[in-house]
Amino acid sequence: MRQWMRDHGQQDKPLILSEFFLLYRYRWDDGTCFQDERGNCFDPQRVKDFLNRTTAYLESETSRSIGNPLDGYRLVQQWAW
């Protein structure tokens, strides 16, 4: 999205992710876990790790070529879980 914004003269506007989340619950009603394409369960620790990594990325990732120059070249200015 940031590349598109830069290409269309919108680089100095904030990029706001109105929502992002994990698509699947980690356990079905019968007690079995939901598995990804590799057979790995979405357990509470995996969900926690996903949230920690993604929020760290959203809060800190920068790019001088496509980031917002008015915000230290950060890629995302606001987000909601």
Side-chain angles (χ1 to χ4, degrees), residues 28-80:
W28 296 111
D29 293 337
D30 67 2
T32 60
C33 71
F34 182 82
Q35 297 178 352
D36 65 15
E37 66 277 5
R38 295 184 184 101
N40 299 315
C41 291
F42 286 93
D43 60 24
Q45 186 61 50
R46 185 174 180 193
V47 173
K48 179 182 174 183
D49 292 344
F50 169 79
L51 179 59
N52 287 338
R53 287 191 317 268
T54 54
T55 56
Y57 177 87
L58 293 172
E59 291 175 350
S60 64
E61 193 65 22
T62 62
S63 169
R64 294 194 64 79
S65 63
I66 61 173
N68 185 336
L70 303 176
D71 188 31
Y73 295 96
R74 287 180 49 229
L75 296 178
V76 178
Q77 281 61 56
Q78 293 181 9
W79 53 270

Side-chain angles (χ1 to χ4, degrees), residues 12-27:
D12 61 344
K13 293 186 178 176
L15 175 59
I16 299 170
L17 301 179
S18 59
E19 62 182 82
F20 79 98
F21 55 95
L22 186 66
L23 294 176
Y24 303 105
R25 51 189 166 160
Y26 69 89
R27 191 160 308 283

